[in-house]
Amino acid sequence: MGWAGTGLLWTASGGVASSITLDQALAAPKGVRPFSFMQVSDSHIGFTKDPNPDARATFREAVAKIKALPARPAFILHTGDITQLSKDQEFDDADQILKEAGLTVFHVPGEHDMLDEGNGAAYLARYGQGSLGDGWYSFDHNGVHFVALVNVKALKAGGMGSLGAAQLDWLQMDLAARSSSTPIVVFTHIPLWTIYADWGWGTDDAAQAMALLKRFGSVTVLNGHIHQVIQKVEGNVAFHTARSTAFPQPAPGQGPAPGPLKVPAGQLHSALGVRTVSLVRGAEPLAVVDASLAA
């Protein structure tokens, strides 16, 4: 599997080759049907420095691998920092590369997508159709409810992400009509749990969102921003951060500040990778397998 960027294959299935008990099958939420989708993150189109002088090239290779998958995913989630500097040409290039996959793409913005004079107006004009506020929205697919949250508006350097009162009010209304047995997938840019506050790797009002999600039996939270795989399970919520398709960042606190982590020549692939996640319609947790590109 020669991946040059990150790709997260999420499989939601009513049955897998391994065994599943009758009790597990009966516990399955009604209406959930098998499907897969991809997550890509932090493509940083326009980035040209160490350790990756051409972020377009690695993003293009990652998308080519998505296109070549034997099982066609339903869609792609891009969890932010599409661009490096929010320039029109960078957005255009990202769109053209993603178009090669032939799949619908759902976006949330990263802080690098809000650097234009309108503080995110360029992002919203391109990707915000049908969204509310600063770009939040939700949709359903095969019995799973997806929620796109924005936590990078007016983000200060080194500051924590924030959802804000208006978005939290909307989230409460959006979830109110959902049965507690509905599987929920939340995707956003900055983590919804505090990984390292000194670097702003967390969301200051995430606890309020988590309180709204507490009643659901299955919640998966996907994010980017920190360019590395870190996972956490807390009650009914599984948190998964994603690798970048452009460059790695240091482990939390391992250095003076976050930013592109320089790696020896020829070793960039060891910092990027692919994750396969299988979901069984039952009480079992998601099975997560990560493989580095150098493996």
Side-chain angles (χ1 to χ4, degrees):
M1 299 176 68
W3 284 72
T6 186
L8 282 76
L9 174 60
W10 296 80
T11 303
S13 176
V16 294
S18 57
S19 63
I20 178 172
T21 69
L22 179 59
D23 287 344
Q24 289 172 327
L26 291 173
K30 294 181 179 179
V32 177
R33 302 188 304 278
F35 72 100
S36 65
F37 67 93
M38 303 298 299
Q39 181 191 359
V40 295
S41 197
D42 297 272
S43 47
H44 286 274
I45 300 302
F47 183 84
T48 58
K49 301 178 181 179
D50 286 340
N52 186 354
D54 191 354
R56 288 176 175 84
T58 49
F59 191 47
R60 185 174 291 110
E61 290 182 55
V63 170
K65 297 302 180 182
I66 295 173
K67 184 178 180 181
L69 287 170
R72 180 179 172 85
F75 50 81
I76 297 172
L77 302 183
H78 194 309
T79 46
D81 280 356
I82 305 159
T83 67
Q84 180 67 10
L85 297 172
S86 304
K87 295 180 179 180
D88 286 341
Q89 187 61 56
E90 294 173 346
F91 283 121
D92 285 344
D93 289 348
D95 289 347
Q96 288 303 310
I97 293 170
L98 279 169
K99 186 177 179 180
E100 291 300 313
L103 300 170
T104 299
V105 183
F106 296 95
H107 294 87
V108 289
E111 74 278 11
H112 282 262
D113 303 318
M114 298 227 167
L115 299 178
D116 58 293
E117 292 183 359
N119 193 24
Y123 169 89
L124 284 175
R126 190 177 292 258
Y127 307 114
Q129 293 84 355
S131 67
L132 299 172
D134 296 317
W136 54 81
Y137 60 95
S138 66
F139 66 93
D140 295 285
H141 186 86
N142 284 19
V144 178
H145 187 59
F146 289 79
V147 181
L149 298 180
V150 178
N151 55 5
V152 296
K153 187 69 172 181
L155 183 69
K156 295 180 175 60
M160 298 277 278
S162 180
L163 297 168
Q167 187 170 196
L168 287 167
D169 287 345
W170 168 81
L171 179 62
Q172 182 176 20
M173 291 186 292
D174 179 74
L175 296 175
R178 313 294 165 185
S179 164
S180 60
S181 64
T182 302
I184 306 293
V185 174
V186 177
F187 60 107
T188 189
H189 184 63
I190 297 177
L192 288 184
W193 56 292
T194 301
I195 294 176
Y196 195 67
D198 289 352
W199 288 356
W201 285 3
T203 301
D204 57 14
D205 51 0
Q208 297 176 56
M210 292 299 103
L212 297 173
L213 292 162
K214 185 177 181 180
R215 71 180 178 87
F216 293 93
S218 174
V219 180
T220 302
V221 180
L222 310 176
N223 68 267
H225 189 58
I226 71 170
H227 298 211
Q228 59 197 281
V229 173
I230 299 181
Q231 302 172 354
K232 174 186 177 182
V233 177
E234 186 173 314
N236 62 328
V237 183
F239 300 87
H240 299 271
T241 70
R243 292 183 174 101
S244 167
T245 66
F247 55 85
Q249 291 202 85
Q254 300 299 304
L261 179 65
K262 295 182 181 180
V263 295
Q267 293 188 18
L268 179 61
H269 283 53
S270 67
L272 307 174
V274 58
R275 173 191 293 155
T276 301
V277 181
S278 297
L279 173 62
V280 177
R281 284 180 51 192
E284 294 300 312
L286 296 178
V288 179
V289 178
D290 289 286
S292 84
L293 306 186

